[in-house]
């Protein structure tokens, strides 16, 4: 970061003289330090993938999830502070349930994105500190499959493909090379797995677990974990691709 | 009670009284609503006029659109449930294509007789429950027994509030290689059995089931027996129509058939002059 706080970073209620809210910048930093999460929108759905860094070898496999469902048709991948992420997911679930209760229909992606964004934004105005979470939101509603990213600042935007966390730069360049509009989610899963393996920094972080989920026609427009067999093929293909690169 | 209006506005038609036309009537409503009326203009439209004056809500305590019997039995592969598709408005055959069976979660199916909007409400509760369960994503799914127990608690809780959900429910399910069949009444009465039926079905169809149902019966046998039950109900229950659906819950999940009609026979002697054997009727 170019400038440091010098007294303007103690609360979100104060701007710095050059127009920054430092607490928000710091929250963003927390996100940038965590394992990569990427999302792509293919022609028949959305795929989410997370590089979940394993803190301890003694953790049970599948612990500390970073991909969650918040309704049948909507899923969230988080990066940043894990506990903050779960809080955001809880809020998203409540919003989705409340919308369904009130309007009798599933919450549209746009609305859910907006609600999460507004919620995060509140914490850049009042309260204790902003949420240190970057959120990728995958929804399949009547409008079709959609991918959103909501930042710590409360900005929510719709994307064809995006990434957050440590490896975001590399991941974004790789996503740009994909022909997303011609890709099915089945192919998308392979691509996502490959990118996550590619951007993983072996030198700094040792072990990681790959988390994959999708909402697509194949999953009956439900957000769910990618089936075990596809997950396995994606993972082996990604590893193989990585070794090929190393050989070159 | 609001006194019955004795005169009506010629402009508005019979049964509708402008407040000015009948001071007594206007005053009665005013007292019931306990509100201050504007000096001019019409009076507000009142639903459930008794509310807030003499006690609790009344309009939820009587069924409006209802469905009749649901029949269900165990067979070799799971559970089979059947009912007609009629929504009666009192004794008017008001809605003829209402689905009264709905799947819940992966392993369960619910059939409902009684008030249809209460059934909607129950389905909404279960929908929230299953969505919550889905989001947990822990490899555990709501089992038929759990859903059944939940429903017994909901129904009993509502009867304790003197505001019962006006339904009799059938819960059928298949989970872990075992079939489940139970019924819950509107006051929380519940039991499980190899065959159940709600409403008239308990009197008309269950005697047949007692005689012929066994847990290892084939799908065809089960269907034939259920159709016999439906037919008997249709003959004797005036609030039913010849448009039925049959649903199965098996290891493969639940399927609900398209509506279809049964072949009926009205030439029986007992039907020709039904009063002949019943002295004192006409």
């Amino acid at each position: 970061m170019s400038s440091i706080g010098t007294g303007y970073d103690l609360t979100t209620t104060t701007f710095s003289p050059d127009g920054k809210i430092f607490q928000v910048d710091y929250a963003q930093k927390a996100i940038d330090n965590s394992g990569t999460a990427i999302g792509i929108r293919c022609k028949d759905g959305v795929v989410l993938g997370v590089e979940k860094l394993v803190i301890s070898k003694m953790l049970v496999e599948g612990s500390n999830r970073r991909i969650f469902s918040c309704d049948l048709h909507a899923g969230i991948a988080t990066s940043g502070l894990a506990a903050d992420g779960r809080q955001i997911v809880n809020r998203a679930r409540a919003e989705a349930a409340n919308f369904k209760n009130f309007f009798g229909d599933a919450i549209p992606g746009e609305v859910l994105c907006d609600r999460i964004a507004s919620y995060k934004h509140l914490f850049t105005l009042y309260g204790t500190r902003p949420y240190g979470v970057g959120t990728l939101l995958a929804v399949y509603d009547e409008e079709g499959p959609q991918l959103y990213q909501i930042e710590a600042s409360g900005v929510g935007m719709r994307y064809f493909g995006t990434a957050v966390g440590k490896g975001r730069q590399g991941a974004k360049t790789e996503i740009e090379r994909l022909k997303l509009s011609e890709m099915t989610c089945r192919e998308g899963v392979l691509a996502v797995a490959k990118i996550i393996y590619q951007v993983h920094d072996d030198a700094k972080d040792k072990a990681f677990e790959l988390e994959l989920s999708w909402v697509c026609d194949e999953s009956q427009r439900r957000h769910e974990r990618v089936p075990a067999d596809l997950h396995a093929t994606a993972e082996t293909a990604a590893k193989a691709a990585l070794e090929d690169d190393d050989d070159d | 009670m609001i006194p019955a209006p004795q005169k009506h506005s010629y402009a508005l038609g019979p049964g509708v009284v402008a407040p000015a036309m009948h001071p007594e009537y206007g005053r009665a409503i005013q007292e019931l609503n306990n509100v201050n009326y504007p000096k001019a203009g019409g009076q507000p439209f009142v639903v459930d006029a008794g509310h807030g004056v003499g006690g609790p809500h009344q309009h939820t305590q009587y069924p409006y659109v209802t469905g009749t019997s649901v029949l269900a039995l165990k067979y070799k592969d799971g559970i089979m449930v059947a009912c007609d598709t009629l929504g009666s408005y009192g004794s008017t055959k008001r809605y003829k294509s209402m689905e009264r069976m709905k799947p819940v979660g992966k392993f369960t199916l619910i059939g409902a007789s009684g008030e249809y909007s209460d059934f909607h409400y129950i389905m909404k509760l279960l929908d929230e429950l299953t969505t919550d369960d889905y989001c947990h994503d822990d490899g555990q799914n709501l089992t038929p027994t759990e859903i059944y127990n939940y429903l017994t608690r909901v129904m009993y809780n509502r009867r304790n509030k003197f505001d019962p959900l006006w339904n009799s429910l059938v819960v059928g399910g298949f989970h872990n290689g075992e079939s489940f069949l139970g019924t819950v009444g509107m006051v929380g009465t519940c039991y499980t059995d190899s065959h159940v039926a709600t409403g008239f079905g308990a009197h008309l169809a269950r005697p047949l089931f007692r005689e012929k149902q066994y847990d290892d019966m084939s799908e065809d046998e089960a269907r034939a027996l259920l159709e016999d039950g439906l037919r008997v109900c249709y003959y004797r229950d005036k609030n039913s129509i010849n448009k039925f659906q049959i649903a199965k819950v098996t290891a493969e999940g639940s399927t609900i058939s398209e509506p279809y009609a049964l072949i009926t026979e009205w030439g029986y002697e007992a039907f020709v002059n039904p009063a002949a054997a019943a002295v004192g009727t006409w």
Side-chain angles (χ1 to χ4, degrees), chain B residues 120-132:
Chain B
H120 273 306
Y121 172 73
I122 288 167
M123 287 315 295
K124 190 168 161 177
L125 290 181
L126 291 172
D127 200 40
E128 281 170 17
L129 207 64
T130 45
T131 305
D132 204 45

Side-chain angles (χ1 to χ4, degrees), chain B residues 224-235:
Chain B
L225 180 53
L226 266 186
E227 286 181 349
D228 276 348
L230 289 173
R231 204 174 281 118
V232 170
C233 283
Y234 176 54
Y235 285 150

Side-chain angles (χ1 to χ4, degrees), chain B residues 18 48 65 69 100 132 137 140-141 144 191 258 268:
Chain B
D48 192 18
V65 177
S69 318
R100 298 198 282 124
D132 204 45
D137 190 26
Q140 298 293 110
N141 289 294
Y191 56 87
E258 287 298 308
Y268 297 122

Side-chain angles (χ1 to χ4, degrees), chain B residues 15 19 85 94 144 166 188 212:
Chain B
T85 60
R94 183 66 184 83
W166 215 277
K212 291 184 179 162

Side-chain angles (χ1 to χ4, degrees), chain A residues 65 71 93 101 223 225, chain B residues 124 127 131 134-137:
Chain A
R65 285 183 176 168
D71 201 345
R93 282 175 183 165
N101 189 11
H223 176 260
R225 266 147 219 296
Chain B
K124 190 168 161 177
D127 200 40
T131 305
Y134 181 86
C135 288
H136 268 100
D137 190 26

Side-chain angles (χ1 to χ4, degrees), chain A residues 5 16 24 44 72 78 91 131 143 154 160 168 170 172 176 197 200 223 241:
Chain A
S16 80
V24 175
D44 61 341
L72 299 184
T78 64
R91 179 69 184 204
Y131 277 108
E143 300 270 299
F160 290 110
R168 66 192 176 286
K172 278 180 190 169
E176 277 168 27
Y197 267 85
H200 175 68
H223 176 260

